[in-house]
Amino acid sequence: MRIFALCLIRLIINYMDRLRSIIGIFLLAVIISCQPVKDNRQEETEDLRIISIGGAISETISALGLEHNIIAIDQTSTYPPALSEKVQLGFRNSISAESILALNADIIIAGKENIESTLVESLRQMGQEVYVIEQNFSLTGSHALIAELGKLLGRQEKAYALREALQESMDAISPIENKPRALFIYARGKGAMQVSGHGTSAHAFMEISGFENAMQSISQFKPLTPEALIAADPDVLIFFESGWQSLGGADGIMEIPGIAQTKAGKTRNFVTMDGLKMLSFSSRLPEAILELRNKYNNNLQ
Amino acid sequence: MQTGSGFLRQSPLVWYGFFIIITLLAMVYSLLTGVIKIQTGHLFELIASIWNTDAATGKEALILWNLRMPRAVLSLSVGAALAVSGASMQGIFRNPLVEPGLVGISAGSALAAACVLVFVFPVMGDVSPATSSLILPLSAFAGGLTSTLIIYYIGRNESIAILILAGVAINALCGALIGWVIYYADDSALRSFTFWSLGDLSGANWKSFLIASPFIWLPVLYLCRQHRDLDMLSLGDRQAFHAGIQVESVKKRNIMAVAMAVGASVSLSGAIGFIGLVVPHMIRMMFGPSHKNLMILSVFVGGSLMMLADTFSRTWVQPAELPVGIVTAMIGSPFFIYLIFNTKNKKLL
């Protein structure tokens, strides 16, 4: 009799087990079938796991209020500073597919410039959702970046507010008469200095800030030569903070052949900017423009 | 020249078996190691999962089949190609310092690949990965072959020293031309180009491997079959000629095969140094200069060393990766210095 009861209980438990899995499958089916109906991902984003590759993208996702959803970043993602606690995947070529897979992300959002196309392809083949954003370095591009990420992550309202604020700050910036001629020097130590021609994000930033790029004749980044520097004769030289340090500050820069002969060298009009803030064309764009202008004007006085 | 000990030379089959097992163990190790840990027992289930589509959808299976497996077989192929090519070149030129890098094959391949990346692909617009994985190996092969033939013709009837000097000169020229091409490269082309100078296997996938593997393995098999001619050549050109060897034609055919194998490997993995130089020396130290053992064992030793180097490159700076060329140079250079001292003491060189 007891054995019979035990068998019965066993049977019921077995049956319950099966029932549970049937209920599970049923629920899953309901959830899946419901998904297309929902067009707003607001609720889902609560525990969305994002891998963000590219400084401007990480910055914008954070500005949209989703900083805590970012689980991993690349080396260019330096703002906001709290991101430094996330998993660091490395820089472009050294990002490995396996590390990304290991993180169980729901979505990987990457700037086209910040990720290898072969990596994107292999991640997609393995069923990862990879969203690649090609950024346009202009005010329209900044709006587009914020809007695109807002839509993708279900934060349209927040994105709209960010864009309103961006446009307001941009409208408040007055145009400059007699554009000063600026030259951006990308330096990684004295042996490796490059100037930015047109087609670069640095060129776009100088133009949008009301400066004229003193290196109009070249495209992309080209090595700096003393004669080209003197011929360009810029009023102001712009450096990244990291590059400024690698050159040994203002005194080190004055020793670079050709610098002392330019207007910028004579007046020591050197400006340093944070690389990401200057070139990300994110919601911090107006802030970056004002910073450049203020530093330039302070040097003039 | 002193040869290896009698026991080592008398039982080559045992040693072939031993090195095949070493290669398999290296492969298992490289498949098990990575950011995501796979248990040894689980590995064989995962390998079997290719016939069982239900199990093949798990993350571990994905990683094994899409990332680690193509990488392991690619590094095996590249290591084998470089080592066999190095052994063959050292035999043809009768000089222990020669490696595919020194006689300009790697530089020529890299230059051709750089030209295609910087000048041809931008003109073609959006190039699909399939097209690029076909065009790149072919152009790298053409580049490697051209630079090698130039060197070969400069040094054809001269001493081997002239030939090696010609190699140095062509290498320098290719290096300069690569620098010049880079001047025209935009930012993204430039970044994908660091790959060619340091060597990198992270782009490994089945498609590019399958396209390139005939270009690698056919010449490797061909080179392995040339051991008799190479043995004769090691006596000197004249002696080989009197022994009935068509000296010039043997040299030319070997160089063609080496250019094809190295060109194809460079196009997939960039220029990886030291494997082609160190591996043949290792084997010669153990088994003497007979080319039969040298060529066949180069395949296994070169392949397994390369797989191990690539495994280290994947795991040293987790979660990021190092270019594998850095690893091979870091392991290879001290070992080579050790070899120099060792052989100097034993008067092997």
Side-chain angles (χ1 to χ4, degrees), chain A residues 157-208:
Chain A
E157 280 174 28
K158 181 77 186 160
Y160 187 74
L162 272 179
R163 291 177 55 194
E164 289 263 279
L166 171 68
Q167 194 56 51
E168 216 165 279
S169 319
M170 286 302 292
D171 290 341
I173 295 173
S174 51
I176 291 188
E177 287 166 34
N178 295 331
K179 286 183 170 184
R181 288 159 59 75
L183 180 67
F184 171 66
I185 299 184
Y186 176 56
R188 285 171 301 175
K190 281 200 175 146
M193 286 182 290
Q194 297 203 309
V195 291
S196 60
H198 54 83
T200 59
S201 48
H203 175 88
F205 179 72
M206 287 187 270
E207 296 285 324
I208 205 172

Coordinates of all heavy atoms in Angstrom, one line a residue, chain A residues 157-208:
Chain A
E157 N 12.0 60.0 -25.6 CA 11.7 61.3 -24.9 C 12.9 61.9 -24.4 O 13.2 63.1 -24.5 CB 10.7 61.0 -23.7 CG 9.3 60.9 -24.2 CD 8.3 60.5 -23.1 OE1 8.6 60.9 -22.0 OE2 7.3 59.9 -23.4
K158 N 13.8 61.1 -23.8 CA 15.0 61.6 -23.2 C 15.9 62.1 -24.4 O 16.5 63.2 -24.2 CB 15.8 60.5 -22.5 CG 17.1 60.8 -21.9 CD 16.9 61.6 -20.6 CE 18.2 62.1 -20.1 NZ 18.2 63.2 -19.1
A159 N 15.9 61.4 -25.5 CA 16.7 61.8 -26.7 C 16.2 63.2 -27.2 O 16.9 64.1 -27.5 CB 16.6 60.8 -27.7
Y160 N 14.8 63.3 -27.2 CA 14.3 64.6 -27.7 C 14.7 65.7 -26.8 O 15.1 66.8 -27.3 CB 12.7 64.4 -27.7 CG 12.0 65.6 -28.3 CD1 12.1 65.8 -29.7 CD2 11.4 66.6 -27.5 CE1 11.5 66.9 -30.3 CE2 10.8 67.6 -28.1 CZ 10.8 67.8 -29.5 OH 10.2 68.9 -30.0
A161 N 14.7 65.5 -25.4 CA 15.1 66.5 -24.5 C 16.6 66.9 -24.7 O 16.9 68.1 -24.7 CB 14.9 66.1 -23.1
L162 N 17.4 65.9 -24.9 CA 18.8 66.1 -25.1 C 19.0 66.9 -26.4 O 19.9 67.9 -26.4 CB 19.6 64.8 -25.3 CG 20.1 64.1 -24.1 CD1 20.7 62.8 -24.5 CD2 21.1 64.9 -23.3
R163 N 18.3 66.6 -27.4 CA 18.4 67.3 -28.7 C 18.0 68.8 -28.6 O 18.6 69.7 -29.2 CB 17.7 66.6 -29.8 CG 18.3 65.3 -30.2 CD 17.5 64.6 -31.2 NE 17.3 65.4 -32.4 CZ 16.5 65.1 -33.4 NH1 15.7 64.1 -33.3 NH2 16.4 65.9 -34.4
E164 N 16.9 69.0 -27.8 CA 16.4 70.3 -27.6 C 17.5 71.2 -26.9 O 17.8 72.3 -27.4 CB 15.2 70.3 -26.7 CG 13.9 69.7 -27.3 CD 13.0 70.8 -27.8 OE1 12.3 71.4 -27.0 OE2 13.1 71.1 -29.0
A165 N 18.1 70.6 -25.9 CA 19.1 71.3 -25.1 C 20.3 71.6 -26.0 O 20.9 72.7 -26.0 CB 19.5 70.4 -23.9
L166 N 20.6 70.6 -26.8 CA 21.8 70.7 -27.7 C 21.5 71.9 -28.7 O 22.4 72.8 -28.9 CB 22.0 69.4 -28.5 CG 23.0 69.5 -29.7 CD1 24.4 69.6 -29.1 CD2 22.9 68.2 -30.5
Q167 N 20.3 71.9 -29.3 CA 20.0 72.9 -30.3 C 20.0 74.3 -29.6 O 20.5 75.3 -30.2 CB 18.7 72.6 -31.0 CG 18.4 73.4 -32.2 CD 19.5 73.3 -33.3 OE1 19.9 72.1 -33.6 NE2 20.1 74.4 -33.8
E168 N 19.5 74.4 -28.4 CA 19.4 75.6 -27.7 C 20.8 76.2 -27.4 O 21.1 77.4 -27.7 CB 18.7 75.4 -26.3 CG 17.8 76.5 -25.9 CD 16.9 76.0 -24.8 OE1 15.9 75.4 -25.1 OE2 17.3 76.3 -23.6
S169 N 21.7 75.3 -26.9 CA 23.0 75.8 -26.7 C 23.8 76.2 -27.9 O 24.5 77.1 -27.9 CB 23.9 74.7 -26.0 OG 23.1 74.0 -25.0
M170 N 23.5 75.4 -29.0 CA 24.2 75.8 -30.3 C 23.7 77.1 -30.8 O 24.5 77.9 -31.3 CB 23.9 74.7 -31.3 CG 24.7 73.4 -31.1 SD 26.5 73.6 -31.1 CE 26.8 74.0 -32.8
D171 N 22.3 77.4 -30.7 CA 21.8 78.6 -31.1 C 22.3 79.8 -30.4 O 22.5 80.9 -30.9 CB 20.2 78.6 -31.0 CG 19.6 77.6 -32.0 OD1 20.3 77.3 -33.0 OD2 18.5 77.2 -31.8
A172 N 22.7 79.5 -29.1 CA 23.2 80.6 -28.2 C 24.6 81.0 -28.6 O 25.1 82.1 -28.1 CB 23.1 80.2 -26.8
I173 N 25.3 80.1 -29.3 CA 26.7 80.5 -29.6 C 26.7 81.4 -30.8 O 26.2 81.2 -31.9 CB 27.5 79.2 -30.0 CG1 27.5 78.3 -28.8 CG2 28.8 79.5 -30.5 CD1 28.1 76.9 -29.0
S174 N 27.4 82.6 -30.6 CA 27.3 83.6 -31.6 C 28.4 83.3 -32.7 O 29.4 82.8 -32.4 CB 27.6 85.0 -31.0 OG 28.8 84.9 -30.2
P175 N 28.1 83.7 -33.9 CA 29.2 83.5 -35.0 C 30.4 84.4 -34.7 O 30.2 85.5 -34.1 CB 28.4 83.8 -36.2 CG 27.2 84.6 -35.8 CD 26.9 84.3 -34.4
I176 N 31.5 84.0 -35.3 CA 32.7 84.8 -35.1 C 33.0 85.5 -36.4 O 32.9 84.9 -37.5 CB 33.9 83.8 -34.8 CG1 33.8 83.2 -33.4 CG2 35.3 84.6 -34.9 CD1 35.1 82.5 -33.0
E177 N 33.3 86.8 -36.3 CA 33.8 87.5 -37.5 C 35.3 87.3 -37.6 O 36.0 87.1 -36.6 CB 33.5 89.0 -37.3 CG 32.0 89.3 -37.4 CD 31.7 90.7 -36.9 OE1 32.5 91.6 -37.1 OE2 30.6 90.9 -36.3
N178 N 35.8 87.5 -38.8 CA 37.2 87.2 -39.0 C 37.7 85.9 -38.4 O 38.4 85.9 -37.4 CB 38.1 88.4 -38.5 CG 37.8 89.7 -39.2 OD1 37.4 89.7 -40.3 ND2 38.0 90.7 -38.4
K179 N 37.3 84.8 -39.0 CA 37.7 83.5 -38.5 C 39.2 83.4 -38.2 O 40.0 83.6 -39.1 CB 37.3 82.5 -39.5 CG 35.8 82.2 -39.6 CD 35.6 81.1 -40.6 CE 34.2 80.6 -40.6 NZ 34.0 79.4 -41.5
P180 N 39.5 83.0 -37.0 CA 41.0 82.8 -36.7 C 41.4 81.5 -37.4 O 40.5 80.6 -37.6 CB 41.0 82.6 -35.2 CG 39.7 83.0 -34.7 CD 38.7 82.9 -35.8
R181 N 42.6 81.4 -37.8 CA 43.1 80.2 -38.5 C 43.7 79.2 -37.5 O 44.6 79.6 -36.7 CB 44.2 80.6 -39.6 CG 43.6 81.3 -40.8 CD 44.6 82.1 -41.5 NE 45.7 81.2 -42.0 CZ 45.6 80.4 -43.0 NH1 44.5 80.3 -43.7 NH2 46.7 79.6 -43.4
A182 N 43.2 78.1 -37.4 CA 43.6 77.1 -36.4 C 44.2 75.9 -37.1 O 43.9 75.5 -38.2 CB 42.4 76.7 -35.6
L183 N 45.1 75.3 -36.3 CA 45.8 74.0 -36.8 C 45.7 73.0 -35.7 O 46.1 73.3 -34.6 CB 47.2 74.3 -37.2 CG 48.0 73.1 -37.7 CD1 47.4 72.7 -39.1 CD2 49.5 73.5 -37.9
F184 N 45.2 71.8 -36.0 CA 45.1 70.8 -35.0 C 46.3 69.9 -35.2 O 46.6 69.4 -36.3 CB 43.8 70.0 -35.1 CG 43.8 68.8 -34.3 CD1 43.9 68.9 -32.9 CD2 43.8 67.5 -34.8 CE1 43.9 67.7 -32.1 CE2 43.8 66.4 -34.0 CZ 43.9 66.5 -32.6
I185 N 47.1 69.7 -34.2 CA 48.3 68.8 -34.3 C 48.0 67.5 -33.4 O 47.8 67.6 -32.2 CB 49.5 69.4 -33.8 CG1 49.8 70.6 -34.7 CG2 50.7 68.5 -33.8 CD1 51.1 71.4 -34.4
Y186 N 47.9 66.4 -34.1 CA 47.7 65.1 -33.4 C 49.1 64.6 -33.1 O 49.9 64.2 -34.0 CB 46.9 64.2 -34.2 CG 46.7 62.8 -33.6 CD1 46.2 62.7 -32.4 CD2 47.1 61.7 -34.3 CE1 46.0 61.4 -31.8 CE2 46.9 60.4 -33.8 CZ 46.4 60.3 -32.5 OH 46.2 59.1 -31.9
A187 N 49.5 64.6 -31.8 CA 50.9 64.2 -31.4 C 50.9 63.0 -30.5 O 50.1 62.8 -29.6 CB 51.5 65.4 -30.7
R188 N 51.8 62.1 -30.8 CA 52.1 61.0 -29.9 C 53.6 61.0 -29.7 O 54.3 60.2 -30.1 CB 51.7 59.7 -30.5 CG 50.2 59.5 -30.4 CD 49.8 58.2 -31.2 NE 50.2 58.4 -32.6 CZ 50.1 57.4 -33.5 NH1 49.6 56.3 -33.2 NH2 50.5 57.6 -34.7
G189 N 54.1 62.1 -29.1 CA 55.5 62.3 -28.9 C 56.1 63.0 -30.1 O 55.5 63.2 -31.1
K190 N 57.4 63.5 -29.9 CA 57.9 64.4 -30.9 C 58.1 63.8 -32.3 O 58.1 64.4 -33.3 CB 59.2 65.0 -30.4 CG 59.0 66.1 -29.4 CD 60.1 67.0 -29.3 CE 59.7 68.1 -28.4 NZ 60.7 68.6 -27.5
G191 N 58.3 62.5 -32.3 CA 58.6 61.8 -33.6 C 57.3 61.6 -34.4 O 57.4 61.3 -35.6
A192 N 56.2 61.7 -33.7 CA 54.9 61.3 -34.4 C 53.9 62.4 -34.3 O 53.0 62.4 -33.4 CB 54.4 60.0 -33.8
M193 N 54.1 63.4 -35.1 CA 53.1 64.5 -35.1 C 52.4 64.6 -36.5 O 53.0 64.5 -37.5 CB 53.8 65.8 -34.8 CG 54.2 66.0 -33.4 SD 55.0 67.5 -33.1 CE 56.5 67.3 -34.0
Q194 N 51.1 64.7 -36.4 CA 50.3 64.8 -37.7 C 49.4 65.9 -37.6 O 48.9 66.3 -36.6 CB 49.5 63.5 -37.9 CG 50.5 62.3 -38.0 CD 49.8 61.1 -38.8 OE1 48.7 60.7 -38.4 NE2 50.5 60.6 -39.8
V195 N 49.1 66.5 -38.8 CA 48.2 67.6 -38.9 C 46.9 67.1 -39.6 O 47.0 66.2 -40.4 CB 48.7 68.8 -39.6 CG1 49.8 69.5 -38.7 CG2 49.3 68.5 -41.0
S196 N 45.8 67.7 -39.3 CA 44.5 67.3 -39.9 C 44.1 68.1 -41.0 O 44.0 69.3 -40.9 CB 43.4 67.2 -38.8 OG 43.3 68.5 -38.3
G197 N 43.9 67.5 -42.2 CA 43.4 68.2 -43.3 C 41.9 68.1 -43.4 O 41.3 67.7 -42.4
H198 N 41.3 68.4 -44.5 CA 39.8 68.3 -44.6 C 39.4 66.8 -44.7 O 40.3 65.9 -45.0 CB 39.2 69.1 -45.8 CG 39.9 68.8 -47.1 ND1 39.4 67.7 -47.8 CD2 40.9 69.4 -47.8 CE1 40.2 67.7 -48.9 NE2 41.0 68.7 -48.9
G199 N 38.2 66.5 -44.3 CA 37.8 65.1 -44.3 C 38.0 64.5 -42.9 O 37.7 63.3 -42.7
T200 N 38.6 65.3 -42.0 CA 38.8 64.7 -40.6 C 37.8 65.3 -39.7 O 37.2 66.4 -39.9 CB 40.2 65.0 -40.1 OG1 40.3 66.5 -40.1 CG2 41.2 64.5 -41.0
S201 N 37.5 64.6 -38.6 CA 36.6 65.1 -37.6 C 37.2 66.4 -36.9 O 36.4 67.3 -36.6 CB 36.3 64.1 -36.5 OG 37.5 63.5 -36.0
A202 N 38.5 66.5 -36.8 CA 39.1 67.7 -36.3 C 38.8 68.9 -37.1 O 38.5 70.0 -36.7 CB 40.6 67.5 -36.1
H203 N 38.9 68.7 -38.5 CA 38.5 69.8 -39.4 C 37.1 70.2 -39.2 O 36.8 71.4 -39.1 CB 38.7 69.2 -40.8 CG 38.3 70.2 -41.9 ND1 39.2 71.1 -42.4 CD2 37.1 70.4 -42.6 CE1 38.5 71.8 -43.4 NE2 37.3 71.4 -43.5
A204 N 36.2 69.2 -39.1 CA 34.8 69.6 -38.9 C 34.6 70.3 -37.6 O 33.8 71.3 -37.6 CB 34.0 68.3 -38.9
F205 N 35.3 70.0 -36.6 CA 35.1 70.6 -35.3 C 35.6 72.1 -35.4 O 35.0 73.0 -34.8 CB 35.9 69.9 -34.2 CG 35.8 70.6 -32.8 CD1 34.6 70.6 -32.1 CD2 36.9 71.3 -32.3 CE1 34.5 71.2 -30.9 CE2 36.8 71.9 -31.1 CZ 35.6 71.9 -30.4
M206 N 36.8 72.3 -36.0 CA 37.3 73.7 -36.1 C 36.3 74.5 -36.9 O 36.0 75.7 -36.5 CB 38.7 73.7 -36.9 CG 39.8 73.1 -36.0 SD 41.4 73.3 -36.7 CE 41.5 71.7 -37.6
E207 N 35.7 74.0 -38.0 CA 34.8 74.8 -38.8 C 33.5 75.1 -38.0 O 33.1 76.3 -38.0 CB 34.4 74.0 -40.1 CG 35.6 73.7 -41.0 CD 36.0 74.9 -41.8 OE1 35.1 75.7 -42.2 OE2 37.2 75.1 -42.0
I208 N 33.0 74.1 -37.3 CA 31.8 74.4 -36.6 C 32.0 75.3 -35.4 O 31.1 76.0 -34.9 CB 31.1 73.0 -36.1 CG1 29.6 73.2 -35.9 CG2 31.8 72.5 -34.8 CD1 28.9 71.9 -35.6

